[in-house]
Amino acid sequence: MSVRNDGGPAFAHGNPDQGGAAGMSMRDYFAAKVMHALITRLELKDDPKKVPGVAYAVADAMLKARESTP
């Protein structure tokens, strides 16, 4: 099983190995931002079950783009 790239911590506070909080992952942060935009679209308002899957698909694409961007 491969490890999913979560982009690392988005809002880290100190070193987690020394008691600092890792914060949410960049993947979760991106997905939350995308979900906010998706919820405003009428076709997704009627089927909220679609929102998380679409949001994480876009978040994964954003993380992939970050890997290839200098």
Side-chain angles (χ1 to χ4, degrees):
M1 181 176 176
S2 65
V3 176
R4 181 185 299 270
N5 175 11
D6 69 0
F11 303 105
H13 298 285
N15 185 341
D17 296 331
Q18 298 175 351
M24 72 172 22
S25 72
M26 288 300 294
R27 183 173 186 256
D28 288 335
Y29 177 71
F30 287 158
K33 291 290 193 176
V34 173
M35 280 199 300
H36 176 73
L38 292 175
I39 289 170
T40 63
R41 294 181 54 182
L42 287 176
E43 62 269 21
L44 291 178
K45 278 184 184 177
D46 295 334
D47 192 358
K49 293 178 192 172
K50 290 182 182 178
V51 174
V54 172
Y56 275 110
V58 173
D60 290 341
M62 292 170 73
L63 288 170
K64 188 170 178 79
R66 288 179 81 216
E67 291 174 3
S68 61
T69 303

